[in-house]
Amino acid sequence: MTANIVIMQLALLAVVLESDLGRRKIGWFRVGRPIIGVALIVPFFFTSLPTGENDLLLQGVSALAGAALGLFSVCPLLVSVDYHPDWRRRWPRTSPTPGSPAAVSRSGAGYAAVWIAVTAARLGFAYGAQHVFPVGLGVFLTNHHLSATGLTNGFIFLSVSMSLFRSLGLWVRGRARLAQAGPVMGAAHATGGAR
């Protein structure tokens, strides 16, 4: 693992935490920002796709693990999704113009802990691979017919997949919440109009 991989891991963590912590509207920019970040960052770090021996299996398993972690990070235990009928932009909060209906998520320490723990584990492994157990790792890679590039790509796929499935999970939960609120809001308007 190179310094570039460390920078990529920390950049992805910063983008996700900045866009998700607290109470935030689930909109196209918020869901798309990590995807755009991945699209801009990964080409600088992804050099090749080894297909020999067990490299494809390792890369595929890493992508699946990232997908599972990304979906877990936005599960109802860690992130609540509510409907806000009058969401306004941050500034100015006292604007006389009405806001628009929006799905809004709230995340805190549990959400941050998942992302920080996964990033710390990846960086800890990278450090250990270079300074603590390089010989043992080399033997493991050789015995299991894996390449160092395949292992590096596995970490990249884990990060990318986690970020993409986090976005997908937020988008799906936000759309579902808006769909649930639609009939309720329609009934409330009908009742209010009948008075």
Side-chain angles (χ1 to χ4, degrees):
M1 299 291 172
T2 64
N4 291 340
I5 298 298
V6 172
I7 292 168
M8 182 190 77
Q9 301 293 331
L10 294 176
L12 287 174
L13 176 65
V15 167
V16 168
L17 292 181
E18 188 279 326
S19 69
D20 288 345
L21 286 181
R23 189 167 182 237
R24 304 291 177 106
K25 175 183 175 184
I26 302 174
W28 67 268
F29 182 69
R30 179 168 167 223
V31 170
R33 188 174 5 178
I35 296 170
I36 293 167
V38 164
L40 293 175
I41 293 170
V42 169
F44 293 105
F45 303 104
F46 188 78
T47 56
S48 65
L49 181 67
T51 58
E53 302 290 333
N54 292 323
D55 285 329
L56 279 179
L57 178 63
L58 173 65
Q59 293 166 116
V61 167
S62 296
L64 288 175
L69 287 167
L71 290 174
F72 173 72
S73 74
V74 293
C75 76
L77 292 171
L78 301 173
V79 178
S80 65
V81 176
D82 295 317
Y83 175 78
H84 196 287
D86 188 27
W87 182 261
R88 300 170 196 244
R89 294 186 184 271
R90 288 186 204 182
W91 306 108
R93 287 192 185 270
T94 58
S95 172
T97 58
S100 59
V104 178
S105 70
R106 182 184 304 264
S107 61
Y111 178 83
V114 169
W115 282 89
I116 291 169
V118 170
T119 301
R122 288 190 301 241
L123 294 176
F125 182 86
Y127 178 83
Q130 291 179 340
H131 304 289
V132 179
F133 47 84
V135 174
L137 180 60
V139 170
F140 176 85
L141 293 175
T142 302
N143 289 344
H144 292 88
H145 308 288
L146 297 166
S147 68
T149 303
L151 180 63
T152 300
N153 286 356
F155 280 101
I156 292 171
F157 290 155
L158 179 82
S159 299
V160 167
S161 182
M162 188 173 176
S163 185
L164 294 177
F165 277 83
R166 161 254 170 223
S167 291
L168 177 64
L170 276 178
W171 183 80
V172 167
R173 290 189 64 205
R175 295 296 111 201
R177 189 64 184 102
L178 287 174
Q180 288 173 348
V184 172
M185 292 307 293
H189 286 298
T191 305
R195 292 179 184 173

